[in-house]
Amino acid sequence: MANLTYRQIEAFRAVMISGTTSGAADILCVSQPAVSRLLSDFEDTVGVPMFERQKKRLVPTPEAHMFYAEVERAFISLEKLKRAADELRELHRGSLRIASMPAASLEFVPFAVKRFSEDNPGVSLSFQIRSTQQVADLVASQQFDVGIVSAVPHMDMSIQVEPLADSRLVCVFPQDHPLGEKDLIRPEDLEGEFFISMGTDQSLRHKIDSVFDSAGVNRKLLVPESVTSRPAHRTADLQ
DNA sequence: CGATAATTTAGGGACAATCA
DNA sequence: TGATTGTCCCTAAATTATCG
C-alpha cells in the first residue's frame, strides 16, 4: 500500500471545504485534474471510499466526515507550529513585551514606545495595560519583559526593580472648595471629607489608606464610578 | 572512508480528451 | 459544468558510482 502523503491530505481537506475538485484546485493553486488525481490516490491509500460520485457532485461519506475531523485537528496543530516558528523568528529579530499600569499608559509609555520603535525598527513591541499587581505578576512569570508600576506590590526575587521617576501625590478639589486655599494638605485636613479613592487592587491605595489610618483620620470614601463628573480646578500637594 | 557526480525513481503538475 | 483518465514533463529525493 502506498504511503499517505501530506499533499493527498491537503487535497482531501480542500475538497471537503470547497465541495468540488475545481474549488479545491483554486484553494491549492493547482489544476483541477491534479486534485482529482490526488484525491483518487488518497482514497486508494486509505482504502476506504471517501466520496460518492453523484452527477457533477462529490458527496462525502460518513468516513470522510470522521476523517476530516481528525484532519482539522491536525491542521490546527500545524498552525500552532507555524505560529511557534513565527514567534521564534520574531524572537531572533528581537521583541519587547511591555505591561504598564493605567496611569502611565496614556502618555508616558506610548511616547517611550514610539521613541523606542523609531530607534529600533525591526524589534517587535507589544504593550498591554494592566493593574499594578497584574503587571508585577506578568513580569515575574516572564510573560512580559518590562513592567511600569507605581510601586512593586511585594518584593519578588524574580523581579529586578529600577526606579524610573519620582512623583508627588496631589489632592484635586473643585474650584470653590475651602481646602483649595491651601498649598499643602495634611491627612487631618481631610477629616470627614468626601474622598475619591483608588481601587483596592492598587498598591498605592493601601499606602494612602495606611497614612490616614496612622493619623486617625476618617474620610468618606467614594468609589470613582459613583461620582458624577465635576471639573477639578485646583490641586494641592498631599503630605 | 567521505565527498561529489551521475543515475534512477517517485511524486506532482499540466494539457488534452472523454464521460456523465 | 465538473470529474476522470492517459500522457508527458519537471523536480527533488534516493541510490549508485567514482574519485581523492
Side-chain angles (χ1 to χ4, degrees), chain A residues 44-93:
Chain A
D44 285 347
T45 305
V46 174
V48 175
M50 290 291 189
F51 296 93
E52 284 178 28
R53 269 69 174 173
Q54 298 183 355
K55 289 177 184 175
K56 296 186 179 181
R57 273 198 63 81
L58 291 174
V59 180
T61 62
E63 290 83 359
H65 286 294
M66 288 172 62
F67 192 78
Y68 179 61
E70 287 297 325
V71 168
E72 277 306 290
R73 273 194 280 276
F75 269 75
I76 288 169
S77 296
L78 286 173
E79 276 301 309
K80 284 182 184 170
L81 288 176
K82 184 174 173 298
R83 278 202 298 277
D86 289 344
E87 284 171 10
L88 282 176
R89 198 160 48 243
E90 289 296 318
L91 206 61
H92 189 68
R93 282 198 313 162

Short mmCIF file of all heavy atoms in Angstrom, two decimals, chain A residues 44-93:
data_model
loop_
_atom_site.label_atom_id
_atom_site.label_comp_id
_atom_site.label_asym_id
_atom_site.label_seq_id
_atom_site.Cartn_x
_atom_site.Cartn_y
_atom_site.Cartn_z
N ASP A 44 -7.22 5.49 -2.57
CA ASP A 44 -6.53 4.21 -2.73
C ASP A 44 -5.66 3.91 -1.51
O ASP A 44 -5.62 2.78 -1.01
CB ASP A 44 -5.64 4.24 -3.98
CG ASP A 44 -6.46 4.13 -5.26
OD1 ASP A 44 -7.65 3.78 -5.16
OD2 ASP A 44 -5.90 4.40 -6.34
N THR A 45 -4.97 4.96 -1.06
CA THR A 45 -4.07 4.78 0.09
C THR A 45 -4.84 4.44 1.35
O THR A 45 -4.48 3.53 2.09
CB THR A 45 -3.26 6.08 0.32
OG1 THR A 45 -2.60 6.43 -0.89
CG2 THR A 45 -2.24 5.87 1.42
N VAL A 46 -5.91 5.19 1.58
CA VAL A 46 -6.70 4.97 2.79
C VAL A 46 -7.45 3.63 2.70
O VAL A 46 -7.64 2.93 3.70
CB VAL A 46 -7.70 6.13 3.00
CG1 VAL A 46 -8.62 5.85 4.17
CG2 VAL A 46 -6.94 7.42 3.25
N GLY A 47 -7.85 3.28 1.49
CA GLY A 47 -8.54 2.00 1.31
C GLY A 47 -10.03 2.07 1.61
O GLY A 47 -10.69 1.04 1.74
N VAL A 48 -10.53 3.28 1.79
CA VAL A 48 -11.96 3.47 2.08
C VAL A 48 -12.49 4.54 1.13
O VAL A 48 -11.86 5.59 0.98
CB VAL A 48 -12.15 3.94 3.55
CG1 VAL A 48 -13.61 4.24 3.81
CG2 VAL A 48 -11.63 2.91 4.51
N PRO A 49 -13.63 4.28 0.49
CA PRO A 49 -14.21 5.33 -0.37
C PRO A 49 -14.60 6.54 0.48
O PRO A 49 -15.32 6.41 1.46
CB PRO A 49 -15.46 4.68 -0.96
CG PRO A 49 -15.35 3.23 -0.66
CD PRO A 49 -14.48 3.08 0.52
N MET A 50 -14.11 7.70 0.10
CA MET A 50 -14.38 8.91 0.88
C MET A 50 -15.48 9.77 0.25
O MET A 50 -16.03 10.64 0.90
CB MET A 50 -13.10 9.74 1.01
CG MET A 50 -12.06 9.10 1.90
SD MET A 50 -12.59 9.09 3.63
CE MET A 50 -11.09 8.53 4.43
N PHE A 51 -15.77 9.51 -1.02
CA PHE A 51 -16.80 10.31 -1.69
C PHE A 51 -17.67 9.41 -2.56
O PHE A 51 -17.17 8.47 -3.20
CB PHE A 51 -16.17 11.40 -2.56
CG PHE A 51 -15.39 12.41 -1.78
CD1 PHE A 51 -14.02 12.24 -1.58
CD2 PHE A 51 -16.01 13.51 -1.22
CE1 PHE A 51 -13.29 13.17 -0.84
CE2 PHE A 51 -15.30 14.44 -0.49
CZ PHE A 51 -13.93 14.27 -0.29
N GLU A 52 -18.95 9.72 -2.56
CA GLU A 52 -19.85 9.07 -3.52
C GLU A 52 -19.90 9.96 -4.76
O GLU A 52 -20.16 11.16 -4.65
CB GLU A 52 -21.26 8.93 -2.93
CG GLU A 52 -21.38 7.81 -1.91
CD GLU A 52 -22.78 7.76 -1.31
OE1 GLU A 52 -23.72 8.18 -2.01
OE2 GLU A 52 -22.91 7.34 -0.16
N ARG A 53 -19.65 9.35 -5.90
CA ARG A 53 -19.65 10.13 -7.14
C ARG A 53 -21.08 10.23 -7.67
O ARG A 53 -21.58 9.28 -8.27
CB ARG A 53 -18.75 9.49 -8.19
CG ARG A 53 -17.31 9.97 -8.18
CD ARG A 53 -16.55 9.52 -6.95
NE ARG A 53 -15.12 9.88 -7.02
CZ ARG A 53 -14.27 9.73 -6.04
NH1 ARG A 53 -14.67 9.24 -4.88
NH2 ARG A 53 -13.01 10.08 -6.17
N GLN A 54 -21.70 11.36 -7.41
CA GLN A 54 -23.01 11.62 -7.98
C GLN A 54 -22.85 12.58 -9.15
O GLN A 54 -21.76 13.10 -9.40
CB GLN A 54 -23.96 12.19 -6.93
CG GLN A 54 -24.20 11.22 -5.78
CD GLN A 54 -25.20 11.75 -4.77
OE1 GLN A 54 -25.65 12.88 -4.88
NE2 GLN A 54 -25.53 10.92 -3.79
N LYS A 55 -23.95 12.82 -9.87
CA LYS A 55 -23.87 13.71 -11.03
C LYS A 55 -23.28 15.07 -10.64
O LYS A 55 -23.85 15.80 -9.86
CB LYS A 55 -25.26 13.91 -11.64
CG LYS A 55 -25.79 12.67 -12.36
CD LYS A 55 -27.19 12.91 -12.88
CE LYS A 55 -27.74 11.65 -13.51
NZ LYS A 55 -29.14 11.79 -13.93
N LYS A 56 -22.14 15.37 -11.20
CA LYS A 56 -21.49 16.67 -11.00
C LYS A 56 -21.21 16.99 -9.54
O LYS A 56 -21.07 18.14 -9.17
CB LYS A 56 -22.36 17.81 -11.59
CG LYS A 56 -22.51 17.71 -13.08
CD LYS A 56 -23.23 18.93 -13.60
CE LYS A 56 -23.35 18.85 -15.10
NZ LYS A 56 -24.02 20.01 -15.66
N ARG A 57 -21.23 15.98 -8.70
CA ARG A 57 -21.01 16.28 -7.29
C ARG A 57 -20.22 15.17 -6.61
O ARG A 57 -20.38 14.00 -6.93
CB ARG A 57 -22.34 16.45 -6.56
CG ARG A 57 -22.89 17.85 -6.62
CD ARG A 57 -23.94 18.04 -5.54
NE ARG A 57 -23.36 17.89 -4.20
CZ ARG A 57 -22.70 18.86 -3.59
NH1 ARG A 57 -22.50 20.00 -4.19
NH2 ARG A 57 -22.25 18.68 -2.39
N LEU A 58 -19.40 15.57 -5.66
CA LEU A 58 -18.73 14.61 -4.80
C LEU A 58 -19.40 14.70 -3.43
O LEU A 58 -19.39 15.75 -2.80
CB LEU A 58 -17.24 14.96 -4.66
CG LEU A 58 -16.37 14.79 -5.89
CD1 LEU A 58 -14.98 15.32 -5.63
CD2 LEU A 58 -16.31 13.33 -6.29
N VAL A 59 -20.00 13.62 -3.00
CA VAL A 59 -20.69 13.63 -1.70
C VAL A 59 -19.85 12.87 -0.68
O VAL A 59 -19.61 11.66 -0.86
CB VAL A 59 -22.09 12.99 -1.81
CG1 VAL A 59 -22.78 13.01 -0.46
CG2 VAL A 59 -22.91 13.73 -2.86
N PRO A 60 -19.38 13.56 0.36
CA PRO A 60 -18.53 12.89 1.36
C PRO A 60 -19.28 11.77 2.07
O PRO A 60 -20.45 11.92 2.43
CB PRO A 60 -18.19 14.02 2.33
CG PRO A 60 -18.47 15.29 1.61
CD PRO A 60 -19.59 14.98 0.65
N THR A 61 -18.62 10.65 2.25
CA THR A 61 -19.19 9.55 3.02
C THR A 61 -19.06 9.85 4.50
O THR A 61 -18.30 10.76 4.89
CB THR A 61 -18.44 8.24 2.71
OG1 THR A 61 -17.07 8.42 3.11
CG2 THR A 61 -18.51 7.90 1.23
N PRO A 62 -19.75 9.12 5.36
CA PRO A 62 -19.57 9.33 6.82
C PRO A 62 -18.12 9.15 7.23
O PRO A 62 -17.63 9.87 8.12
CB PRO A 62 -20.45 8.23 7.42
CG PRO A 62 -21.51 7.97 6.40
CD PRO A 62 -20.83 8.16 5.07
N GLU A 63 -17.42 8.21 6.57
CA GLU A 63 -15.99 8.02 6.89
C GLU A 63 -15.20 9.29 6.59
O GLU A 63 -14.28 9.65 7.32
CB GLU A 63 -15.42 6.85 6.08
CG GLU A 63 -15.91 5.49 6.49
CD GLU A 63 -17.25 5.12 5.87
OE1 GLU A 63 -17.81 5.95 5.12
OE2 GLU A 63 -17.75 4.01 6.14
N ALA A 64 -15.59 9.96 5.49
CA ALA A 64 -14.90 11.20 5.13
C ALA A 64 -15.08 12.26 6.21
O ALA A 64 -14.13 12.96 6.57
CB ALA A 64 -15.43 11.71 3.78
N HIS A 65 -16.31 12.36 6.74
CA HIS A 65 -16.56 13.36 7.78
C HIS A 65 -15.75 13.03 9.04
O HIS A 65 -15.20 13.93 9.68
CB HIS A 65 -18.05 13.42 8.10
CG HIS A 65 -18.87 14.10 7.04
ND1 HIS A 65 -18.74 15.44 6.75
CD2 HIS A 65 -19.78 13.62 6.16
CE1 HIS A 65 -19.56 15.77 5.76
NE2 HIS A 65 -20.22 14.68 5.39
N MET A 66 -15.69 11.74 9.36
CA MET A 66 -14.92 11.35 10.55
C MET A 66 -13.44 11.68 10.36
O MET A 66 -12.79 12.23 11.23
CB MET A 66 -15.09 9.85 10.82
CG MET A 66 -16.45 9.48 11.36
SD MET A 66 -16.67 7.69 11.43
CE MET A 66 -15.38 7.22 12.56
N PHE A 67 -12.94 11.33 9.17
CA PHE A 67 -11.52 11.58 8.91
C PHE A 67 -11.23 13.08 8.86
O PHE A 67 -10.19 13.54 9.33
CB PHE A 67 -11.12 10.92 7.59
CG PHE A 67 -9.63 10.86 7.38
CD1 PHE A 67 -8.87 9.91 8.03
CD2 PHE A 67 -9.00 11.78 6.56
CE1 PHE A 67 -7.49 9.86 7.86
CE2 PHE A 67 -7.62 11.74 6.39
CZ PHE A 67 -6.87 10.77 7.03
N TYR A 68 -12.18 13.83 8.30
CA TYR A 68 -11.99 15.28 8.18
C TYR A 68 -11.83 15.93 9.55
O TYR A 68 -11.04 16.87 9.73
CB TYR A 68 -13.17 15.89 7.43
CG TYR A 68 -13.09 17.39 7.27
CD1 TYR A 68 -12.04 17.96 6.58
CD2 TYR A 68 -14.07 18.22 7.80
CE1 TYR A 68 -11.96 19.34 6.43
CE2 TYR A 68 -13.99 19.60 7.65
CZ TYR A 68 -12.94 20.15 6.96
OH TYR A 68 -12.85 21.51 6.82
N ALA A 69 -12.60 15.43 10.53
CA ALA A 69 -12.49 15.98 11.89
C ALA A 69 -11.06 15.80 12.41
O ALA A 69 -10.49 16.71 13.02
CB ALA A 69 -13.49 15.29 12.82
N GLU A 70 -10.49 14.63 12.13
CA GLU A 70 -9.10 14.38 12.55
C GLU A 70 -8.14 15.29 11.80
O GLU A 70 -7.18 15.82 12.36
CB GLU A 70 -8.73 12.91 12.31
CG GLU A 70 -9.37 11.94 13.27
CD GLU A 70 -8.91 12.18 14.71
OE1 GLU A 70 -7.74 12.56 14.92
OE2 GLU A 70 -9.75 12.03 15.62
N VAL A 71 -8.41 15.45 10.50
CA VAL A 71 -7.54 16.29 9.68
C VAL A 71 -7.54 17.73 10.20
O VAL A 71 -6.49 18.37 10.31
CB VAL A 71 -8.00 16.26 8.20
CG1 VAL A 71 -7.30 17.34 7.39
CG2 VAL A 71 -7.71 14.89 7.60
N GLU A 72 -8.72 18.22 10.55
CA GLU A 72 -8.81 19.60 11.05
C GLU A 72 -8.01 19.76 12.33
O GLU A 72 -7.31 20.75 12.52
CB GLU A 72 -10.27 20.00 11.27
CG GLU A 72 -10.97 20.46 10.02
CD GLU A 72 -10.21 21.59 9.31
OE1 GLU A 72 -10.16 22.71 9.83
OE2 GLU A 72 -9.65 21.34 8.23
N ARG A 73 -8.11 18.76 13.20
CA ARG A 73 -7.33 18.81 14.45
C ARG A 73 -5.84 18.89 14.13
O ARG A 73 -5.10 19.66 14.72
CB ARG A 73 -7.64 17.60 15.32
CG ARG A 73 -8.83 17.80 16.22
CD ARG A 73 -8.88 16.73 17.30
NE ARG A 73 -9.44 15.48 16.81
CZ ARG A 73 -10.74 15.24 16.73
NH1 ARG A 73 -11.60 16.15 17.13
NH2 ARG A 73 -11.18 14.10 16.26
N ALA A 74 -5.43 18.07 13.15
CA ALA A 74 -4.02 18.06 12.78
C ALA A 74 -3.60 19.41 12.19
O ALA A 74 -2.51 19.91 12.49
CB ALA A 74 -3.76 16.94 11.77
N PHE A 75 -4.48 20.00 11.38
CA PHE A 75 -4.12 21.28 10.77
C PHE A 75 -4.06 22.39 11.80
O PHE A 75 -3.26 23.32 11.67
CB PHE A 75 -5.11 21.63 9.64
CG PHE A 75 -4.67 21.12 8.30
CD1 PHE A 75 -4.79 19.77 8.00
CD2 PHE A 75 -4.10 21.96 7.37
CE1 PHE A 75 -4.37 19.28 6.78
CE2 PHE A 75 -3.68 21.48 6.15
CZ PHE A 75 -3.82 20.13 5.84
N ILE A 76 -4.90 22.31 12.83
CA ILE A 76 -4.82 23.30 13.91
C ILE A 76 -3.47 23.18 14.60
O ILE A 76 -2.83 24.18 14.90
CB ILE A 76 -5.98 23.10 14.90
CG1 ILE A 76 -7.29 23.56 14.26
CG2 ILE A 76 -5.73 23.86 16.20
CD1 ILE A 76 -8.54 23.19 15.02
N SER A 77 -3.04 21.94 14.81
CA SER A 77 -1.72 21.74 15.42
C SER A 77 -0.62 22.29 14.53
O SER A 77 0.35 22.89 15.00
CB SER A 77 -1.49 20.25 15.68
OG SER A 77 -2.42 19.77 16.62
N LEU A 78 -0.77 22.08 13.23
CA LEU A 78 0.23 22.61 12.30
C LEU A 78 0.27 24.13 12.34
O LEU A 78 1.34 24.75 12.26
CB LEU A 78 -0.08 22.13 10.87
CG LEU A 78 0.23 20.67 10.57
CD1 LEU A 78 -0.27 20.29 9.18
CD2 LEU A 78 1.72 20.41 10.67
N GLU A 79 -0.92 24.74 12.47
CA GLU A 79 -0.99 26.19 12.58
C GLU A 79 -0.25 26.67 13.82
O GLU A 79 0.44 27.68 13.81
CB GLU A 79 -2.45 26.66 12.62
CG GLU A 79 -3.09 26.82 11.25
CD GLU A 79 -2.34 27.82 10.38
OE1 GLU A 79 -2.09 28.95 10.85
OE2 GLU A 79 -1.98 27.46 9.25
N LYS A 80 -0.41 25.88 14.91
CA LYS A 80 0.30 26.24 16.15
C LYS A 80 1.81 26.18 15.93
O LYS A 80 2.54 27.05 16.39
CB LYS A 80 -0.11 25.28 17.27
CG LYS A 80 -1.48 25.56 17.85
CD LYS A 80 -1.78 24.58 18.98
CE LYS A 80 -3.19 24.78 19.51
NZ LYS A 80 -3.58 23.70 20.45
N LEU A 81 2.24 25.15 15.22
CA LEU A 81 3.67 25.03 14.93
C LEU A 81 4.15 26.21 14.09
O LEU A 81 5.23 26.75 14.30
CB LEU A 81 3.95 23.72 14.19
CG LEU A 81 3.84 22.44 15.00
CD1 LEU A 81 4.05 21.23 14.11
CD2 LEU A 81 4.89 22.44 16.12
N LYS A 82 3.30 26.60 13.13
CA LYS A 82 3.67 27.72 12.27
C LYS A 82 3.82 29.00 13.10
O LYS A 82 4.77 29.76 12.93
CB LYS A 82 2.60 27.90 11.19
CG LYS A 82 2.90 28.98 10.17
CD LYS A 82 1.85 28.97 9.08
CE LYS A 82 2.02 30.14 8.13
NZ LYS A 82 1.86 31.43 8.79
N ARG A 83 2.84 29.19 14.01
CA ARG A 83 2.91 30.38 14.86
C ARG A 83 4.14 30.33 15.75
O ARG A 83 4.80 31.34 15.98
CB ARG A 83 1.65 30.49 15.71
CG ARG A 83 0.48 31.12 14.98
CD ARG A 83 -0.54 31.68 15.98
NE ARG A 83 -1.12 30.66 16.81
CZ ARG A 83 -2.14 29.90 16.44
NH1 ARG A 83 -2.68 30.05 15.27
NH2 ARG A 83 -2.61 28.99 17.26
N ALA A 84 4.46 29.11 16.25
CA ALA A 84 5.65 28.97 17.10
C ALA A 84 6.90 29.34 16.32
O ALA A 84 7.79 30.01 16.83
CB ALA A 84 5.74 27.53 17.62
N ALA A 85 6.93 28.92 15.05
CA ALA A 85 8.08 29.27 14.21
C ALA A 85 8.14 30.77 13.98
O ALA A 85 9.22 31.38 14.01
CB ALA A 85 7.98 28.52 12.87
N ASP A 86 6.96 31.38 13.76
CA ASP A 86 6.91 32.84 13.57
C ASP A 86 7.44 33.54 14.81
O ASP A 86 8.19 34.52 14.71
CB ASP A 86 5.47 33.28 13.30
CG ASP A 86 5.00 32.85 11.91
OD1 ASP A 86 5.86 32.49 11.09
OD2 ASP A 86 3.78 32.85 11.68
N GLU A 87 7.02 33.02 15.97
CA GLU A 87 7.45 33.65 17.22
C GLU A 87 8.94 33.51 17.41
O GLU A 87 9.61 34.42 17.87
CB GLU A 87 6.69 33.04 18.40
CG GLU A 87 5.26 33.55 18.48
CD GLU A 87 4.44 32.77 19.51
OE1 GLU A 87 5.03 31.99 20.27
OE2 GLU A 87 3.20 32.94 19.53
N LEU A 88 9.47 32.33 17.04
CA LEU A 88 10.92 32.14 17.13
C LEU A 88 11.65 33.13 16.24
O LEU A 88 12.66 33.71 16.62
CB LEU A 88 11.28 30.72 16.71
CG LEU A 88 11.03 29.62 17.73
CD1 LEU A 88 11.35 28.26 17.13
CD2 LEU A 88 11.88 29.85 18.98
N ARG A 89 11.09 33.34 15.04
CA ARG A 89 11.71 34.27 14.10
C ARG A 89 11.67 35.69 14.65
O ARG A 89 12.65 36.43 14.57
CB ARG A 89 10.99 34.18 12.76
CG ARG A 89 11.76 34.75 11.60
CD ARG A 89 11.25 34.21 10.26
NE ARG A 89 9.82 34.28 10.14
CZ ARG A 89 9.05 33.22 10.02
NH1 ARG A 89 9.57 32.02 10.02
NH2 ARG A 89 7.75 33.34 9.90
N GLU A 90 10.51 36.05 15.23
CA GLU A 90 10.38 37.37 15.84
C GLU A 90 11.39 37.54 16.97
O GLU A 90 12.03 38.56 17.11
CB GLU A 90 8.96 37.55 16.39
CG GLU A 90 7.91 37.71 15.33
CD GLU A 90 8.13 38.97 14.51
OE1 GLU A 90 8.46 40.01 15.09
OE2 GLU A 90 8.00 38.90 13.27
N LEU A 91 11.52 36.46 17.76
CA LEU A 91 12.45 36.49 18.90
C LEU A 91 13.86 36.70 18.41
O LEU A 91 14.66 37.40 19.02
CB LEU A 91 12.33 35.18 19.66
CG LEU A 91 12.68 35.21 21.14
CD1 LEU A 91 11.75 36.18 21.86
CD2 LEU A 91 12.60 33.84 21.75
N HIS A 92 14.16 36.10 17.23
CA HIS A 92 15.51 36.21 16.68
C HIS A 92 15.79 37.65 16.27
O HIS A 92 16.89 38.16 16.43
CB HIS A 92 15.64 35.27 15.48
CG HIS A 92 17.05 35.16 14.99
ND1 HIS A 92 18.03 34.55 15.73
CD2 HIS A 92 17.65 35.60 13.86
CE1 HIS A 92 19.18 34.61 15.06
NE2 HIS A 92 18.96 35.24 13.93
N ARG A 93 14.75 38.29 15.74
CA ARG A 93 14.93 39.68 15.33
C ARG A 93 14.92 40.59 16.53
O ARG A 93 15.47 41.67 16.51
CB ARG A 93 13.79 40.10 14.38
CG ARG A 93 13.96 39.59 12.98
CD ARG A 93 13.08 40.37 12.04
NE ARG A 93 11.74 40.52 12.55
CZ ARG A 93 10.88 41.42 12.13
NH1 ARG A 93 11.25 42.28 11.22
NH2 ARG A 93 9.66 41.48 12.61
#
